[in-house]
Amino acid sequence: MTEYDFECSEDDMEEQDVDIENQYYNSKGLLETDEGLEEALEGLRQVLAMEVDDRERWRFKALKQIARAHLRLGQSAAALGAYRDLLAASAAASISRAAAEKKVNSTLDMLAGSADKALLRDAYATTLEALEARPNPRLYLKDPNHRTGGQMLEIIALLIQVHTERGSTGELKGLYQRARAVRTAIPHPRILGRLGARLRCLRYLVLATLLLGGRVDPFDSQEARPYKKDPDLAPMLALATAFQAGDVGAFEAVLQTHRAELLDADPLVREHTPRLLRTLRTAVVTRFVRPYRRVTLRAVAEALHLPGGAEAARPLLVAMILDGALKGSIDHMNDVLVLEKTGDGEAAAQQRALRDWAGQLSQIQAGLQSRLLAQGASAASLSLA
Protein backbone atom coordinates (compact mmCIF):
# COMPACT_ATOMS: atom_id res chain seq x y z
CA MET A 1 0.00 0.00 0.00
CA THR A 2 1.38 3.40 -0.95
CA GLU A 3 1.74 6.30 1.45
CA TYR A 4 -0.88 8.16 -0.60
CA ASP A 5 -3.38 5.27 -0.16
CA PHE A 6 -2.74 5.14 3.56
CA GLU A 7 -3.32 8.86 4.00
CA CYS A 8 -6.50 8.59 1.95
CA SER A 9 -7.78 5.79 4.18
CA GLU A 10 -7.18 7.93 7.25
CA ASP A 11 -9.13 10.75 5.64
CA ASP A 12 -11.98 8.39 4.88
CA MET A 13 -12.06 7.24 8.49
CA GLU A 14 -12.11 10.81 9.73
CA GLU A 15 -14.98 11.57 7.38
CA GLN A 16 -16.87 8.56 8.70
CA ASP A 17 -16.35 9.78 12.24
CA VAL A 18 -17.74 13.17 11.27
CA ASP A 19 -20.66 11.53 9.46
CA ILE A 20 -21.72 9.42 12.44
CA GLU A 21 -21.36 12.35 14.82
CA ASN A 22 -23.53 14.54 12.59
CA GLN A 23 -26.05 11.76 12.11
CA TYR A 24 -26.33 11.25 15.86
CA TYR A 25 -26.74 14.90 16.84
CA ASN A 26 -29.11 15.70 13.97
CA SER A 27 -31.32 12.76 14.97
CA LYS A 28 -31.15 13.72 18.63
CA GLY A 29 -32.24 17.25 17.74
CA LEU A 30 -35.34 15.87 16.01
CA LEU A 31 -36.44 14.31 19.32
CA GLU A 32 -37.25 17.76 20.64
CA THR A 33 -40.44 17.89 18.56
CA ASP A 34 -43.27 15.38 18.35
CA GLU A 35 -43.31 15.68 14.56
CA GLY A 36 -39.70 14.55 14.27
CA LEU A 37 -39.86 11.39 16.40
CA GLU A 38 -40.20 8.88 13.56
CA GLU A 39 -37.49 10.59 11.52
CA ALA A 40 -35.27 10.68 14.60
CA LEU A 41 -35.74 6.92 15.11
CA GLU A 42 -34.75 6.23 11.53
CA GLY A 43 -31.66 8.39 11.86
CA LEU A 44 -30.61 6.75 15.12
CA ARG A 45 -31.01 3.31 13.56
CA GLN A 46 -28.61 4.44 10.87
CA VAL A 47 -26.13 5.34 13.61
CA LEU A 48 -26.34 1.74 14.85
CA ALA A 49 -25.55 0.43 11.38
CA MET A 50 -22.61 2.73 10.59
CA GLU A 51 -19.13 1.20 10.70
CA VAL A 52 -16.53 3.41 12.41
CA ASP A 53 -13.63 2.87 14.78
CA ASP A 54 -15.56 4.27 17.74
CA ARG A 55 -18.73 2.39 16.82
CA GLU A 56 -19.40 1.00 20.34
CA ARG A 57 -19.46 4.45 21.92
CA TRP A 58 -21.86 5.89 19.34
CA ARG A 59 -24.05 2.81 19.49
CA PHE A 60 -24.26 3.18 23.26
CA LYS A 61 -25.26 6.83 22.98
CA ALA A 62 -27.83 6.14 20.23
CA LEU A 63 -29.55 3.34 22.15
CA LYS A 64 -30.52 5.69 24.96
CA GLN A 65 -32.06 8.11 22.48
CA ILE A 66 -33.90 5.24 20.76
CA ALA A 67 -35.40 4.22 24.10
CA ARG A 68 -36.37 7.84 24.67
CA ALA A 69 -38.06 8.07 21.26
CA HIS A 70 -40.05 4.87 21.76
CA LEU A 71 -41.12 6.08 25.19
CA ARG A 72 -42.31 9.39 23.72
CA LEU A 73 -44.29 7.42 21.14
CA GLY A 74 -45.90 5.26 23.83
CA GLN A 75 -44.14 2.12 22.61
CA SER A 76 -43.24 0.50 25.92
CA ALA A 77 -42.09 -2.86 24.55
CA ALA A 78 -39.78 -1.21 22.02
CA ALA A 79 -38.41 1.14 24.70
CA LEU A 80 -37.66 -1.86 26.94
CA GLY A 81 -35.94 -3.63 24.04
CA ALA A 82 -33.72 -0.62 23.41
CA TYR A 83 -32.91 -0.48 27.13
CA ARG A 84 -31.89 -4.15 27.11
CA ASP A 85 -29.56 -3.42 24.18
CA LEU A 86 -28.20 -0.46 26.15
CA LEU A 87 -27.37 -2.72 29.10
CA ALA A 88 -25.60 -5.16 26.80
CA ALA A 89 -23.66 -2.33 25.15
CA SER A 90 -22.53 -1.03 28.55
CA ALA A 91 -20.26 -4.08 28.89
CA ALA A 92 -18.12 -3.00 25.93
CA ALA A 93 -14.49 -2.37 26.79
CA SER A 94 -14.58 1.09 25.25
CA ILE A 95 -17.40 2.23 27.56
CA SER A 96 -16.07 3.57 30.84
CA ARG A 97 -17.73 2.60 34.10
CA ALA A 98 -18.68 6.23 34.78
CA ALA A 99 -20.27 6.60 31.36
CA ALA A 100 -22.16 3.33 31.71
CA GLU A 101 -23.52 4.31 35.12
CA LYS A 102 -24.54 7.75 33.95
CA LYS A 103 -26.36 6.53 30.84
CA VAL A 104 -28.14 3.59 32.51
CA ASN A 105 -29.17 5.59 35.57
CA SER A 106 -30.47 8.47 33.46
CA THR A 107 -32.39 6.02 31.27
CA LEU A 108 -33.94 4.42 34.37
CA ASP A 109 -34.93 7.87 35.59
CA MET A 110 -36.52 8.52 32.22
CA LEU A 111 -38.46 5.22 32.37
CA ALA A 112 -39.52 6.02 35.94
CA GLY A 113 -41.51 8.94 34.57
CA SER A 114 -43.65 6.62 32.47
CA ALA A 115 -47.23 5.93 33.48
CA ASP A 116 -46.65 2.29 32.48
CA LYS A 117 -45.66 0.73 35.80
CA ALA A 118 -45.19 -2.68 34.20
CA LEU A 119 -42.49 -1.14 32.00
CA LEU A 120 -40.69 0.22 35.05
CA ARG A 121 -40.87 -3.12 36.87
CA ASP A 122 -39.55 -4.98 33.83
CA ALA A 123 -36.77 -2.43 33.34
CA TYR A 124 -35.56 -2.80 36.92
CA ALA A 125 -35.84 -6.58 36.78
CA THR A 126 -33.82 -6.58 33.55
CA THR A 127 -31.20 -4.34 35.18
CA LEU A 128 -30.74 -6.63 38.15
CA GLU A 129 -30.59 -9.75 35.99
CA ALA A 130 -27.97 -8.10 33.78
CA LEU A 131 -25.84 -7.12 36.77
CA GLU A 132 -26.02 -10.55 38.37
CA ALA A 133 -25.05 -12.21 35.09
CA ARG A 134 -21.70 -10.39 35.03
CA PRO A 135 -18.90 -11.44 37.42
CA ASN A 136 -17.38 -7.93 37.30
CA PRO A 137 -20.25 -5.64 36.34
CA ARG A 138 -19.50 -2.11 35.21
CA LEU A 139 -22.78 -1.01 36.73
CA TYR A 140 -21.99 -1.63 40.35
CA LEU A 141 -25.38 -1.31 42.01
CA LYS A 142 -24.74 -4.17 44.44
CA ASP A 143 -22.40 -2.20 46.70
CA PRO A 144 -24.38 -1.03 49.77
CA ASN A 145 -22.17 2.04 50.08
CA HIS A 146 -22.39 3.00 46.40
CA ARG A 147 -24.13 6.21 45.50
CA THR A 148 -26.79 4.29 43.51
CA GLY A 149 -27.78 2.14 46.47
CA GLY A 150 -31.00 4.10 46.83
CA GLN A 151 -31.91 3.10 43.30
CA MET A 152 -31.13 -0.52 44.23
CA LEU A 153 -33.89 -0.30 46.82
CA GLU A 154 -36.29 0.76 44.09
CA ILE A 155 -35.23 -2.27 42.04
CA ILE A 156 -35.81 -4.62 44.98
CA ALA A 157 -39.19 -3.11 45.78
CA LEU A 158 -40.33 -3.63 42.21
CA LEU A 159 -38.84 -7.14 42.08
CA ILE A 160 -40.92 -8.03 45.13
CA GLN A 161 -43.97 -7.06 43.11
CA VAL A 162 -42.72 -8.97 40.07
CA HIS A 163 -42.12 -12.20 42.02
CA THR A 164 -45.48 -11.87 43.74
CA GLU A 165 -47.31 -11.48 40.43
CA ARG A 166 -45.46 -14.53 39.10
CA GLY A 167 -46.33 -16.54 42.21
CA SER A 168 -42.66 -17.04 43.16
CA THR A 169 -43.05 -15.71 46.69
CA GLY A 170 -40.20 -17.92 47.88
CA GLU A 171 -37.87 -15.24 46.52
CA LEU A 172 -39.06 -12.77 49.17
CA LYS A 173 -36.59 -13.94 51.82
CA GLY A 174 -33.60 -13.44 49.53
CA LEU A 175 -34.86 -10.03 48.41
CA TYR A 176 -35.38 -9.01 52.03
CA GLN A 177 -31.81 -9.94 52.94
CA ARG A 178 -30.52 -8.10 49.86
CA ALA A 179 -32.50 -5.00 50.78
CA ARG A 180 -31.14 -5.14 54.33
CA ALA A 181 -27.64 -5.01 52.84
CA VAL A 182 -28.30 -1.66 51.15
CA ARG A 183 -29.92 0.07 54.10
CA THR A 184 -27.06 2.58 54.35
CA ALA A 185 -27.98 3.88 50.92
CA ILE A 186 -31.34 5.26 52.06
CA PRO A 187 -31.08 9.06 51.93
CA HIS A 188 -32.38 11.28 54.66
CA PRO A 189 -35.96 12.55 54.04
CA ARG A 190 -34.76 16.16 53.95
CA ILE A 191 -32.64 15.47 50.86
CA LEU A 192 -34.76 12.80 49.22
CA GLY A 193 -36.23 13.82 45.90
CA ARG A 194 -38.27 10.86 44.72
CA LEU A 195 -39.70 9.57 47.96
CA GLY A 196 -42.41 7.24 46.69
CA ALA A 197 -40.26 4.32 45.60
CA ARG A 198 -38.21 4.36 48.82
CA LEU A 199 -41.34 4.36 50.95
CA ARG A 200 -42.76 1.52 48.91
CA CYS A 201 -39.58 -0.48 49.43
CA LEU A 202 -39.58 0.21 53.17
CA ARG A 203 -43.23 -0.84 53.36
CA TYR A 204 -42.31 -4.11 51.68
CA LEU A 205 -39.34 -4.51 54.01
CA VAL A 206 -41.75 -4.33 56.95
CA LEU A 207 -43.98 -6.88 55.23
CA ALA A 208 -41.05 -9.22 54.58
CA THR A 209 -39.94 -8.84 58.20
CA LEU A 210 -43.37 -9.95 59.41
CA LEU A 211 -43.47 -12.86 56.98
CA LEU A 212 -40.12 -14.01 58.38
CA GLY A 213 -41.38 -13.86 61.97
CA GLY A 214 -41.05 -10.18 62.82
CA ARG A 215 -37.86 -10.53 64.86
CA VAL A 216 -35.81 -7.90 62.99
CA ASP A 217 -36.39 -4.15 62.97
CA PRO A 218 -35.88 -2.85 59.39
CA PHE A 219 -35.51 0.67 60.83
CA ASP A 220 -32.55 -0.01 63.10
CA SER A 221 -30.13 1.99 60.94
CA GLN A 222 -29.63 5.73 61.38
CA GLU A 223 -30.56 6.42 57.75
CA ALA A 224 -33.84 4.50 57.87
CA ARG A 225 -34.97 5.56 61.34
CA PRO A 226 -36.47 8.94 60.28
CA TYR A 227 -38.92 7.12 58.01
CA LYS A 228 -40.68 5.62 61.03
CA LYS A 229 -42.38 8.99 61.50
CA ASP A 230 -43.60 9.25 57.92
CA PRO A 231 -47.42 9.27 57.85
CA ASP A 232 -47.49 7.11 54.71
CA LEU A 233 -45.78 4.30 56.61
CA ALA A 234 -47.89 4.70 59.77
CA PRO A 235 -50.55 2.07 58.86
CA MET A 236 -47.93 -0.57 58.03
CA LEU A 237 -45.98 0.18 61.20
CA ALA A 238 -49.18 -0.05 63.28
CA LEU A 239 -49.82 -3.45 61.69
CA ALA A 240 -46.28 -4.55 62.55
CA THR A 241 -46.63 -3.35 66.15
CA ALA A 242 -49.82 -5.38 66.63
CA PHE A 243 -48.22 -8.43 65.01
CA GLN A 244 -45.11 -8.29 67.16
CA ALA A 245 -47.24 -7.81 70.30
CA GLY A 246 -49.33 -10.87 69.41
CA ASP A 247 -52.53 -8.81 69.57
CA VAL A 248 -55.00 -10.26 67.07
CA GLY A 249 -57.68 -7.71 67.94
CA ALA A 250 -55.37 -4.75 67.32
CA PHE A 251 -54.07 -6.34 64.10
CA GLU A 252 -57.58 -6.73 62.69
CA ALA A 253 -58.53 -3.24 63.88
CA VAL A 254 -55.61 -1.74 61.91
CA LEU A 255 -56.69 -3.67 58.82
CA GLN A 256 -60.22 -2.39 59.16
CA THR A 257 -59.25 1.23 59.86
CA HIS A 258 -56.62 1.44 57.10
CA ARG A 259 -58.17 -0.90 54.58
CA ALA A 260 -57.85 1.66 51.77
CA GLU A 261 -54.10 2.19 52.31
CA LEU A 262 -53.12 -1.40 53.12
CA LEU A 263 -55.45 -3.68 51.17
CA ASP A 264 -57.23 -1.76 48.46
CA ALA A 265 -54.22 0.22 47.23
CA ASP A 266 -51.50 -2.45 47.51
CA PRO A 267 -52.07 -5.92 46.01
CA LEU A 268 -48.86 -7.28 47.53
CA VAL A 269 -49.94 -6.46 51.09
CA ARG A 270 -53.44 -7.73 50.32
CA GLU A 271 -52.10 -11.06 49.05
CA HIS A 272 -49.96 -11.76 52.12
CA THR A 273 -52.31 -10.47 54.83
CA PRO A 274 -54.13 -13.84 55.24
CA ARG A 275 -50.80 -15.56 55.80
CA LEU A 276 -49.79 -12.96 58.37
CA LEU A 277 -53.13 -13.35 60.16
CA ARG A 278 -52.79 -17.12 60.28
CA THR A 279 -49.22 -16.85 61.58
CA LEU A 280 -50.36 -14.46 64.28
CA ARG A 281 -53.33 -16.65 65.27
CA THR A 282 -51.09 -19.71 65.42
CA ALA A 283 -48.73 -17.90 67.80
CA VAL A 284 -51.65 -16.74 69.96
CA VAL A 285 -53.12 -20.26 70.19
CA THR A 286 -49.73 -21.74 71.08
CA ARG A 287 -49.30 -19.26 73.89
CA PHE A 288 -52.92 -19.50 75.10
CA VAL A 289 -53.10 -23.32 75.44
CA ARG A 290 -49.66 -23.81 76.97
CA PRO A 291 -50.83 -24.09 80.64
CA TYR A 292 -53.71 -26.49 79.92
CA ARG A 293 -54.34 -30.14 79.10
CA ARG A 294 -57.91 -29.58 77.95
CA VAL A 295 -59.28 -26.39 76.40
CA THR A 296 -62.70 -25.78 74.89
CA LEU A 297 -62.77 -24.66 71.29
CA ARG A 298 -65.02 -21.80 72.32
CA ALA A 299 -62.32 -20.46 74.66
CA VAL A 300 -59.79 -20.61 71.82
CA ALA A 301 -62.19 -18.69 69.56
CA GLU A 302 -62.59 -15.98 72.19
CA ALA A 303 -58.81 -15.64 72.53
CA LEU A 304 -58.59 -15.18 68.76
CA HIS A 305 -61.51 -12.72 68.62
CA LEU A 306 -63.38 -15.08 66.28
CA PRO A 307 -67.14 -14.39 66.33
CA GLY A 308 -68.06 -17.88 65.08
CA GLY A 309 -67.27 -19.71 68.33
CA ALA A 310 -66.08 -23.33 68.28
CA GLU A 311 -66.73 -23.80 64.57
CA ALA A 312 -64.58 -20.78 63.72
CA ALA A 313 -61.64 -22.10 65.75
CA ARG A 314 -61.87 -25.72 64.58
CA PRO A 315 -60.21 -25.39 61.11
CA LEU A 316 -57.19 -23.56 62.53
CA LEU A 317 -56.70 -26.10 65.32
CA VAL A 318 -57.01 -29.03 62.92
CA ALA A 319 -54.43 -27.43 60.63
CA MET A 320 -52.07 -26.79 63.55
CA ILE A 321 -52.33 -30.43 64.67
CA LEU A 322 -51.70 -31.72 61.15
CA ASP A 323 -48.73 -29.36 60.76
CA GLY A 324 -47.26 -30.47 64.07
CA ALA A 325 -47.67 -27.05 65.67
CA LEU A 326 -49.92 -28.62 68.34
CA LYS A 327 -49.49 -32.03 69.98
CA GLY A 328 -52.91 -33.38 70.76
CA SER A 329 -56.32 -34.13 69.35
CA ILE A 330 -59.83 -32.67 69.21
CA ASP A 331 -62.77 -34.24 71.02
CA HIS A 332 -65.34 -33.26 68.39
CA MET A 333 -68.27 -34.55 70.43
CA ASN A 334 -67.55 -32.11 73.25
CA ASP A 335 -65.66 -29.45 71.26
CA VAL A 336 -62.58 -29.82 73.45
CA LEU A 337 -58.91 -29.64 72.48
CA VAL A 338 -57.04 -32.42 74.33
CA LEU A 339 -53.34 -31.59 74.54
CA GLU A 340 -50.39 -33.92 74.88
CA LYS A 341 -47.94 -32.16 77.13
CA THR A 342 -44.19 -32.45 76.98
CA GLY A 343 -43.26 -35.65 78.84
CA ASP A 344 -46.62 -37.30 78.27
CA GLY A 345 -45.15 -39.49 75.58
CA GLU A 346 -42.31 -40.60 77.87
CA ALA A 347 -44.73 -41.39 80.69
CA ALA A 348 -46.93 -43.39 78.36
CA ALA A 349 -43.92 -45.37 77.20
CA GLN A 350 -42.98 -46.14 80.80
CA GLN A 351 -46.49 -47.33 81.53
CA ARG A 352 -46.42 -49.62 78.50
CA ALA A 353 -43.08 -51.06 79.65
CA LEU A 354 -44.46 -51.70 83.13
CA ARG A 355 -47.51 -53.43 81.67
CA ASP A 356 -45.31 -55.62 79.49
CA TRP A 357 -43.14 -56.51 82.48
CA ALA A 358 -46.18 -57.36 84.61
CA GLY A 359 -47.52 -59.54 81.80
CA GLN A 360 -44.22 -61.40 81.56
CA LEU A 361 -44.21 -61.98 85.35
CA SER A 362 -47.75 -63.37 85.13
CA GLN A 363 -46.64 -65.81 82.42
CA ILE A 364 -43.66 -66.94 84.53
CA GLN A 365 -45.92 -67.40 87.55
CA ALA A 366 -48.41 -69.45 85.57
CA GLY A 367 -45.60 -71.66 84.22
CA LEU A 368 -44.21 -72.28 87.70
CA GLN A 369 -47.64 -73.19 89.03
CA SER A 370 -48.16 -75.67 86.21
CA ARG A 371 -44.81 -77.32 86.87
CA LEU A 372 -45.47 -77.53 90.61
CA LEU A 373 -48.88 -79.10 90.05
CA ALA A 374 -47.39 -81.63 87.65
CA GLN A 375 -44.66 -82.57 90.13
CA GLY A 376 -47.25 -82.97 92.95
CA ALA A 377 -49.42 -85.25 90.84
CA SER A 378 -46.41 -87.42 89.98
CA ALA A 379 -45.42 -87.79 93.64
CA ALA A 380 -48.97 -88.83 94.63
CA SER A 381 -48.99 -91.56 91.98
CA LEU A 382 -45.74 -93.04 93.27
CA SER A 383 -46.99 -93.18 96.87
CA LEU A 384 -50.16 -95.06 95.86
CA ALA A 385 -48.11 -97.58 93.96
Side-chain angles (χ1 to χ4, degrees):
M1 178 181 293
T2 66
E3 182 179 354
Y4 175 79
D5 291 335
F6 180 77
E7 291 177 353
C8 183
S9 297
E10 284 186 341
D11 290 342
D12 289 342
M13 291 173 61
E14 290 178 0
E15 288 180 4
Q16 289 177 349
D17 289 339
V18 172
D19 288 343
I20 195 171
E21 182 175 358
N22 290 337
Q23 183 68 39
Y24 170 77
Y25 285 108
N26 288 336
S27 301
K28 183 180 178 182
L30 292 171
L31 290 175
E32 302 304 321
T33 63
D34 292 338
E35 296 78 9
L37 291 177
E38 293 291 350
E39 186 179 352
L41 269 176
E42 182 59 32
L44 290 166
R45 292 191 185 104
Q46 292 179 22
V47 172
L48 298 183
M50 296 175 75
E51 295 291 341
V52 295
D53 283 347
D54 203 9
R55 180 174 183 270
E56 292 176 341
R57 183 172 68 90
W58 288 110
R59 173 181 172 80
F60 186 62
K61 292 164 71 72
L63 284 169
K64 177 190 175 181
Q65 302 305 326
I66 290 175
R68 177 186 172 193
H70 283 304
L71 193 63
R72 291 268 306 278
L73 289 168
Q75 300 167 348
S76 297
L80 182 61
Y83 177 66
R84 286 197 180 99
D85 292 339
L86 179 72
L87 285 174
S90 70
S94 60
I95 307 299
S96 69
R97 172 174 166 176
E101 289 176 351
K102 181 178 179 180
K103 275 285 189 291
V104 172
N105 288 333
S106 62
T107 306
L108 280 174
D109 288 340
M110 178 179 65
L111 295 175
S114 170
D116 187 349
K117 298 306 177 186
L119 168 64
L120 184 57
R121 288 197 302 269
D122 291 342
Y124 277 140
T126 300
T127 304
L128 193 60
E129 290 169 2
L131 296 183
E132 291 179 340
R134 300 174 193 168
N136 297 301
R138 293 180 177 274
L139 290 178
Y140 200 53
L141 296 181
K142 289 184 178 180
D143 186 351
N145 297 316
H146 194 263
R147 63 182 176 86
T148 56
Q151 193 172 51
M152 186 66 176
L153 286 181
E154 296 181 34
I155 296 174
I156 293 171
L158 289 162
L159 278 178
I160 291 173
Q161 290 180 312
V162 170
H163 286 302
T164 300
E165 291 175 4
R166 293 176 178 173
S168 53
T169 53
E171 301 289 337
L172 283 176
K173 184 173 182 179
L175 289 172
Y176 168 71
Q177 298 298 341
R178 187 180 298 171
R180 292 277 298 167
V182 295
R183 62 188 179 183
T184 56
I186 303 173
H188 193 280
R190 287 196 300 268
I191 61 173
L192 184 60
R194 293 183 298 145
L195 188 59
R198 271 71 167 184
L199 291 176
R200 181 173 61 251
C201 185
L202 289 171
R203 183 166 66 247
Y204 292 162
L205 282 181
V206 174
L207 176 62
T209 300
L210 299 182
L211 290 171
L212 294 173
R215 293 182 295 273
V216 180
D217 181 6
F219 297 94
D220 61 357
S221 69
Q222 180 179 357
E223 293 81 5
R225 200 169 295 125
Y227 287 90
K228 294 186 75 171
K229 299 179 181 180
D230 192 283
D232 291 332
L233 281 177
M236 197 67 195
L237 293 176
L239 201 68
T241 299
F243 183 91
Q244 292 165 344
D247 191 335
V248 178
F251 188 90
E252 293 181 326
V254 173
L255 287 177
Q256 184 175 1
T257 303
H258 299 284
R259 180 179 182 85
E261 302 98 308
L262 294 174
L263 302 181
D264 296 340
D266 197 322
L268 186 67
V269 176
R270 181 171 63 249
E271 177 175 343
H272 290 286
T273 295
R275 178 181 169 187
L276 287 177
L277 192 54
R278 177 175 173 176
T279 300
L280 178 57
R281 285 173 174 166
T282 298
V284 170
V285 169
T286 302
R287 185 173 64 249
F288 177 72
V289 303
R290 188 175 293 126
Y292 306 107
R293 289 182 179 273
R294 296 171 64 88
V295 184
T296 65
L297 270 60
R298 181 176 180 179
V300 173
E302 291 175 353
L304 295 174
H305 299 274
L306 294 175
E311 291 305 317
R314 194 187 310 275
L316 176 62
L317 295 177
V318 169
M320 290 179 66
I321 291 172
L322 293 176
D323 292 342
L326 279 180
K327 301 295 183 182
S329 60
I330 297 177
D331 178 356
H332 291 284
M333 292 294 294
N334 298 303
D335 288 338
V336 172
L337 174 65
V338 182
L339 295 160
E340 179 183 310
K341 295 299 180 182
T342 304
D344 285 355
E346 183 179 350
Q350 290 176 348
Q351 291 178 358
R352 287 194 297 270
L354 288 172
R355 284 196 298 269
D356 293 341
W357 183 48
Q360 292 173 0
L361 288 177
S362 297
Q363 292 177 1
I364 293 172
Q365 182 182 15
L368 288 173
Q369 288 177 346
S370 297
R371 292 178 62 182
L372 289 173
L373 289 174
Q375 290 176 358
S378 176
S381 298
L382 290 173
S383 62
L384 289 174

